[in-house]
Structures are given as structure tokens and as C-alpha cells.
Amino acid sequence: MALHLKSMRKSPFSAAPTMAGFIWQLRSLLLYLLKQEELDAAVSLETLDDIVVSSGSGHVIAAIQTKHSWSEDLLTAHSVELWKTLRVWIYLLTRQHLSADSTLVLSTTARVGPDLREFVDDPKLKTNIDKVRQRLDAISKTSENKESAAAISDWRRLKTSEREFLVNRIRIQEAQPRLAEVDETIEKRLLRHTVRPQAVRLFRESLVGWFEGIVATRLSSGGCKITVDEVVGKLAELLSLQAPAALCSTQGEAEYPPLDEERSSDPPYLRQLELLDASEEHLVNAIAMLHRARAERDIWRQTRPNAAGELQSYDSDLKAKWRTIRLGALRAKPADASALVECGWTIHGECMNYHGNISGMLVPPVHVANGTYYILTNEPSNAPHAGWHPDYLNQLSSTKKED
């Protein structure tokens, strides 16, 4: 069995999800994997618009559409999101990907209105499902909503038997945990895997960082596969590294050079922030974080037996997290210079909120975690490992030539 999460190469009739929706889809998929018991089940991620569980022959076992919303609006038979979802399923039907065993699932944070309750409540009576089909038929004849027009047109081209085929396979999961709540759901699942309550937040952050890093790295090649066995293996690894302690911080108040002195060497990490029109206060803070992180990391190299390998792994984790955040932020396709700067601040802010861990121990969050990100945006000087501005490599190159 394979699971496809559709996103980056989206179909011509699908809309790009918001940043929150993008992250929610990944978290929902991780939660799905944590609940699976078959170790040989595989997850193939090709895009990020819907999740498709398919058999080896290519027929769909379950097509799962995920819809994240901040609003409290009801999902009804008139909703644009419903019709856009129906259009995806019509596409699968007309290309003969669906069979009698296929299930079509709409997983949404919204509540479902009374005219769609038949898709939520079990068991379902055939007469009730027929009423829903007739309701959708009636809407397709009278609706003037331009956003739903293409989907409604596709619906009307179907035969009555094909419409009945679709509605008999639809299930709606309503009021699913929103982005702010889904992490709590993951933590509850992890507690069942014997993760200590005092370590569950750090454990969840480590697992999510690893998972999103794999997605970002493997998607760069056009598609990827993640097995349940991989997730179980990572759980076992993290469980073996559980430690309630945090790394000792000794350089949180270490001295750092003044802004003018640091600027004189024209380091890439300051130029990166200047691309975002950062204030002098922000630049001074970045200098402090970078120099204190370097000092702390040097101490660890001298005192921890496997510090070199640990720091290399930690840097890889931060880079993978940056790639995931950047991938999501760029989906909005900023159109002008101000939008590019805003996008850069979004990437910067998300990265600064991610701390990660070393061998299961919490990293000093401010000067080491944040400072390490500034190190990654500073080295190597000709092409830093990470950047805030969406076009940071070209921008750094052009500003260097001007200088």
C-alpha cells in the first residue's frame, strides 16, 4: 500500500494551501503514520494537496482531502471547498483510478452543516445518500458561484450512475484539530509510545523536525517515499536518547564585537538581514547570538567526546527545518519586492522558533539555536547554507559586486 501526499506539482484545478494549511497537512500525515500498525505500509509524497492511499495496481484505496481553515464557517453543500474537493475526485473517477473499494475522505477543521450530515453520521442509509446526490444536482443547476463553476460543470457532465458512485464513497471527518491543536494530538499519541510526560514536548519537536526534514529533502528530487517502519525506527532511536536534562549553558553572557566593528568585515549573515531592512537593534542581537553560539560550540568540542558528530547532525537538522519552512513560505509566490521581504521575515521567524536538540538534550534556545542559524546564513561565505530572503543567493552576489 502506498500513500501519496499531493502538493507542489498541484493539479490545474487545485488551489495552493496557506502556510498554516501546508504545515497542517504534514502534521496530519505524521499523525496518520503514527497510528498505522503495518510496518510495510509506505508513504509516497509527490505534492501537497491531498493524500492518496493506493494499491500496487494504482487503484485508490482512499483519497483524503485536507482542508485547514481559521474560520468557524460551516461546510455545506454550497461551500466552494466541497466543490473543489469533488472536482479532484471526479478527476480520479474519469481517469479510472477509483474502484468499488475506494473511500473518499474530506478531513476538515470546519463543522459540517445539516445538508451534509449523511457524509458524517454512520451507518448511512442509501435513501439518505440519494438525497444528498439530488441536493448536489439541484445546486449544480442553480449556482452562480464563479469559484465553483468549473467543479459544477464537471459534475453535470457525469452520468447519474457516476454521481451515485462518488457520493456512496464519501466520508467527512469534521472539526479536526487545527494547527494549534494538532501538536497536542501528536503528543498524546507519543505518550502511548512510553515517552515520558516531562520530555514529550522536546520529543515531539525532534520527531516533527526529522519528518519535515525528510519531506523537504526528498521532495527536491520530485517525490519521496517514507515507510511506517522508518517512523517506528526513528521513534525507537529517540526513545533511546530520552534525557530530561538540557545542555549546560556557559556562554549566554559572552562578549561580542560592536556593530561597526562587525560590519567592517561585511559578513554574509549581516548582509542577509540587511536584505530584509533589519533594524540596528536586530543586527546587534544577531551579532550577539552568532558569537555566543560559536563560543558555546567551541566549549562543547573540547568537553564532549562526540561533539563534532553531534554538531554536524544538529546543523543538518536545522538546515532541513529551514528547507521545510522555506518551501512552505515560497508557495505564496511573492510578486514584488515588499512581498519578498515579508516572505523573508516569515522564514526567519519560523526558524528562530525552532530549537531542536542534541542527543535528546535541549539546546540553549536563544544564543545557541538562534546563533547557529546565523552561522548557517554566514557560511560558506560565497553560498551560505541558509538564507532569509527568497532570492538570497543572487541578492548576496549582486550586493557583493556593487561593493
Side-chain angles (χ1 to χ4, degrees):
M1 170 172 84
L3 185 79
H4 302 266
L5 178 61
K6 302 176 87 175
S7 153
M8 292 308 295
R9 295 193 306 277
K10 58 183 182 296
S11 61
F13 46 77
S14 61
T18 62
M19 179 67 172
F22 171 85
I23 298 173
W24 184 68
Q25 287 173 342
L26 289 182
R27 302 289 171 84
S28 299
L29 179 57
L30 175 59
L31 189 58
Y32 177 92
L33 289 170
L34 289 172
K35 294 178 180 179
Q36 302 311 299
E37 297 182 357
E38 298 180 17
L39 295 182
D40 59 347
V43 181
S44 298
L45 298 92
E46 298 177 341
T47 62
L48 293 183
D49 180 60
D50 63 6
I51 303 169
V52 177
V53 184
S54 60
S55 65
S57 62
H59 279 82
V60 172
I61 297 172
I64 309 170
Q65 288 282 313
T66 56
K67 301 296 181 183
H68 182 275
S69 172
W70 297 114
S71 69
E72 298 296 333
D73 294 341
L74 287 178
L75 181 76
T76 71
H78 292 271
S79 296
V80 172
E81 292 300 334
L82 174 70
W83 283 98
K84 287 182 177 180
T85 297
L86 285 172
R87 194 178 186 210
V88 175
W89 292 338
I90 292 169
Y91 176 87
L92 293 175
L93 174 65
T94 56
R95 279 154 183 76
Q96 301 182 338
H97 291 303
L98 302 181
S99 67
D101 297 326
S102 299
T103 301
L104 306 174
V105 180
L106 173 56
S107 181
T108 177
T109 54
R111 290 281 181 183
V112 173
D115 56 356
L116 293 178
R117 294 308 308 179
E118 292 89 344
F119 290 147
V120 180
D121 302 327
D122 283 320
K124 296 183 175 66
L125 298 176
K126 188 177 187 304
T127 54
N128 291 341
I129 293 298
D130 283 343
K131 289 179 181 178
V132 180
R133 193 265 305 166
Q134 293 168 12
R135 202 172 296 144
L136 294 173
D137 286 348
I139 292 172
S140 72
K141 295 175 182 177
T142 59
S143 176
E144 296 181 358
N145 191 317
K146 293 181 179 180
E147 291 186 82
S148 305
I152 287 174
S153 176
D154 289 348
W155 177 265
R156 295 181 65 177
R157 279 197 292 268
L158 293 177
K159 300 175 183 176
T160 301
S161 60
E162 291 175 321
R163 297 175 197 170
E164 291 175 348
F165 178 90
L166 285 177
V167 297
N168 273 286
R169 279 151 187 82
I170 296 174
R171 306 288 183 270
I172 298 180
Q173 298 173 343
E174 67 171 339
Q176 295 300 296
R178 285 179 168 79
L179 182 58
E181 304 165 338
V182 73
D183 283 344
E184 295 179 12
T185 308
I186 292 176
E187 288 183 4
K188 290 177 182 178
R189 175 62 54 172
L190 292 176
L191 289 172
R192 298 183 185 180
H193 288 275
T194 70
V195 176
R196 289 194 302 270
Q198 63 269 32
V200 71
R201 183 194 62 79
L202 175 60
F203 197 99
R204 184 257 305 159
E205 189 177 80
S206 300
L207 183 64
V208 167
W210 165 80
F211 183 74
E212 292 181 350
I214 280 186
V215 171
T217 301
R218 297 184 183 178
L219 274 178
S220 64
S221 62
C224 72
K225 177 182 285 187
I226 301 175
T227 64
V228 173
D229 190 46
E230 277 186 284
V231 175
V232 171
K234 188 62 180 180
L235 280 173
E237 177 189 333
L238 292 174
L239 283 168
S240 69
L241 296 174
Q242 277 195 85
L247 286 167
C248 179
S249 173
T250 62
Q251 302 298 314
E253 300 299 325
E255 295 294 326
Y256 55 90
L259 176 57
D260 289 343
E261 180 181 328
E262 188 77 348
R263 263 182 169 158
S264 65
S265 62
D266 195 29
Y269 79 102
L270 287 187
R271 280 193 281 135
Q272 292 233 36
L273 288 171
E274 288 170 343
L275 291 175
L276 304 183
D277 300 323
S279 66
E280 287 201 355
E281 181 182 0
H282 198 117
L283 297 177
V284 170
N285 181 68
I287 294 170
M289 295 303 100
L290 180 138
H291 284 273
R292 289 171 177 173
R294 280 179 175 170
E296 198 79 77
R297 289 162 66 103
D298 287 342
I299 293 294
W300 291 347
R301 287 190 183 93
Q302 298 170 26
T303 58
R304 293 178 62 82
N306 191 35
E310 290 175 331
L311 288 171
Q312 183 178 10
S313 176
Y314 181 63
D315 290 351
S316 296
D317 177 40
L318 293 193
K319 285 186 283 187
K321 183 66 175 179
W322 165 77
R323 283 193 292 269
T324 301
I325 293 169
R326 186 171 186 268
L327 187 67
L330 291 180
R331 288 176 58 77
K333 295 181 180 178
D336 53 40
S338 62
L340 289 171
V341 169
E342 183 180 347
C343 182
W345 279 121
T346 297
I347 297 169
H348 177 277
E350 291 283 337
C351 287
M352 291 295 125
N353 286 328
Y354 181 72
H355 304 147
N357 69 89
I358 291 179
S359 296
M361 289 183 285
L362 183 66
V363 173
V366 181
H367 67 283
V368 176
N370 295 1
T372 297
Y373 261 122
Y374 288 128
I375 290 173
L376 294 175
T377 62
N378 196 54
E379 302 170 357
S381 59
N382 60 332
H385 292 298
W388 313 128
H389 193 284
D391 192 30
Y392 75 99
L393 288 177
N394 287 332
Q395 293 289 328
L396 289 178
S397 176
S398 62
T399 56
K400 193 67 176 176
K401 289 177 182 177
E402 291 172 6
D403 294 342

